[in-house]
Amino acid sequence: AMTSIIHNKNYSLGLEWTKISQIPNDAKNFCVLRNPLDRAVSVYDQVMVKRLGDVGKRQNPKYKKIIQKIASYNIISDRITAYINEIKTNGFFDSHQFSQVTYLSRPHSGRKIEMLDYFLNFSNLENELRKFLKIPDFKLAHLNKGGPKGYAKYFDQHRDEIEEMYKEDYDMYSKISKV
């Protein structure tokens, strides 16, 4: 969220964490917001699918037990329902699941949403960055070419529950998605 933008004449975009005390007064601070439902699908993919092979390596036995319990469902819709129910009942069990608002307003870090100048929409990131950087021909390299494989349709039946879990994210995202 609190990143500094560094780009050279070749339009490379470097993002690096910067301590708040080192951010120049005239810096423009931005964050990239993602549609909360799309993000929930992606987080499921990260937490349950990509990490499933790592379960035996996990140090936290509670985390391991949760993933194994959810993964024991053979039908994908049942597995996703169990995943949503686990979060509703016991809360987030992986940091990827925390809301975007949580990352933007960490009291111990001194970061506040009010410190941000711009919110960029992830679903239209290349165009958003063109406007933000004022570089009309800016091209964003697409590094993450994987992504969830068909899980979105199973999450649609849990839309209301996801909206409740990520209410603050939906509120914030609705403001930028209308722009």
Side-chain angles (χ1 to χ4, degrees), residues 29-77:
N29 298 301
F30 73 96
C31 76
V32 177
L33 293 177
R34 190 166 189 187
N35 176 308
L37 182 62
D38 293 345
R39 185 171 174 270
V41 173
S42 181
V43 167
Y44 172 84
D45 184 60
Q46 177 67 33
V47 171
M48 290 303 302
V49 177
K50 293 184 177 144
R51 291 190 176 192
L52 198 53
D54 293 339
V55 167
K57 301 173 190 171
R58 291 244 172 245
Q59 298 295 320
N60 184 337
K62 182 179 176 185
Y63 186 88
K64 179 179 176 179
K65 187 176 179 181
I66 291 169
I67 288 184
Q68 288 175 331
K69 179 179 83 171
I70 295 168
S72 70
Y73 290 89
N74 292 325
I75 299 170
I76 188 70
S77 60

Side-chain angles (χ1 to χ4, degrees), residues 45 50 142-149:
D45 184 60
K50 293 184 177 144
H142 191 89
L143 302 176
N144 181 1
K145 296 183 187 204
K149 307 280 189 272

Side-chain angles (χ1 to χ4, degrees), residues 64-131:
K64 179 179 176 179
K65 187 176 179 181
I66 291 169
I67 288 184
Q68 288 175 331
K69 179 179 83 171
I70 295 168
S72 70
Y73 290 89
N74 292 325
I75 299 170
I76 188 70
S77 60
D78 293 343
R79 190 178 294 170
I80 290 171
T81 296
Y83 171 81
I84 298 290
N85 287 339
E86 176 65 34
I87 293 171
K88 283 175 33 186
T89 304
N90 298 311
F92 299 130
F93 56 89
D94 185 280
S95 62
H96 288 89
Q97 298 165 330
F98 296 155
S99 72
Q100 294 172 98
V101 169
T102 299
Y103 286 106
L104 294 174
S105 55
R106 292 182 168 190
H108 65 279
S109 70
R111 295 184 174 128
K112 298 177 185 171
I113 293 174
E114 298 80 27
M115 297 171 81
L116 295 166
D117 299 303
Y118 301 97
F119 295 91
L120 307 180
N121 189 332
F122 180 82
S123 63
N124 192 22
L125 189 55
E126 188 171 81
N127 285 329
E128 297 272 320
L129 285 168
R130 281 184 188 136
K131 289 188 286 187

